[in-house]
Amino acid sequence: MHINKKDLIEFDNGNMNTQEVIEFLSHLDHCDFCLNQMIEQENNSTDTAPSYLMEQILDKAGSGEVQLARAANQASRKIQLLHYSLQTAAGVMVALLLLFSIPNLDFTSLHQDTSSQTDRILPEHENGRLYQFTRELGQNIGDGTGSFIKYISDFSSKLMNGGK
């Protein structure tokens, strides 16, 4: 005995009880003819979404819950951007702090034999005033950075020691 069209339609609609579904599937397991009929019906059926589904989806999309989740997601992205921006700024600040906290070295003392060659190559006006200006600028930056580092060190030690 083969499965009739009515049973196939009931199975598609989900109108069968558990016992009927078990019998239906066990019959399909043993009968290739009924299985081919079911496959053919599935291929020929043009199931579309129910008409009320679009309204439900649009209502759900407009609900406060979904809007809140979307706003939270956008805020999360902005917070991540702020976090990475602060990390980058902190890295740049540390790099600049390290750059300017290196003691002001006089490289002419390291290469005394080439200092006389440098004096001969540079024009007279650059040899005096420009050299003096850059040397004083470097000294001032080094002094300012040193005092800044001392202030940060004192502040952090007071913070770690509870204000003592």
Side-chain angles (χ1 to χ4, degrees):
M1 179 173 154
H2 295 295
I3 298 174
N4 58 24
K5 293 275 187 189
K6 178 185 163 215
D7 290 337
L8 287 173
I9 293 171
E10 284 184 11
F11 179 75
D12 275 345
N13 293 336
N15 295 336
M16 292 183 166
N17 64 27
T18 307
Q19 185 62 32
E20 290 174 336
V21 171
I22 291 172
E23 290 174 7
F24 180 82
L25 292 176
S26 69
H27 179 76
L28 288 179
D29 188 35
H30 298 298
C31 181
D32 290 338
F33 176 76
C34 293
L35 181 63
N36 287 335
Q37 273 188 338
M38 183 176 172
I39 291 171
E40 184 179 317
Q41 181 180 342
E42 287 296 320
N43 289 339
N44 292 337
S45 70
T46 56
D47 288 339
T48 59
S51 60
Y52 63 87
L53 189 59
M54 183 175 175
E55 292 176 23
Q56 283 183 347
I57 291 172
L58 291 175
D59 289 343
K60 184 69 173 180
S63 71
E65 178 184 335
V66 173
Q67 296 297 327
L68 182 63
R70 184 179 300 150
N73 190 15
Q74 288 175 350
S76 174
R77 288 182 184 162
K78 288 180 182 179
I79 289 173
Q80 284 179 346
L81 178 64
L82 175 66
H83 179 256
Y84 293 133
S85 299
L86 289 175
Q87 280 183 334
T88 304
V92 168
M93 293 298 291
V94 168
L96 288 172
L97 182 69
L98 289 175
L99 178 68
F100 291 119
S101 68
I102 296 175
N104 194 12
L105 295 177
D106 185 14
F107 292 106
T108 57
S109 64
L110 297 175
H111 302 286
Q112 290 181 4
D113 56 330
T114 59
S115 64
S116 61
Q117 293 173 356
T118 306
D119 291 342
R120 282 182 278 150
I121 294 172
L122 292 175
E124 185 62 35
H125 67 281
E126 288 183 5
N127 198 12
R129 288 184 286 162
L130 181 61
Y131 176 74
Q132 189 65 26
F133 172 74
T134 56
R135 186 166 173 82
E136 288 175 8
L137 181 65
Q139 183 66 35
N140 290 340
I141 290 173
D143 292 344
T145 306
S147 64
F148 177 72
I149 290 173
K150 186 176 184 305
Y151 174 75
I152 294 291
S153 176
D154 291 342
F155 178 75
S156 64
S157 67
K158 285 181 182 180
L159 187 66
M160 295 302 277
N161 294 330
K164 295 180 183 179

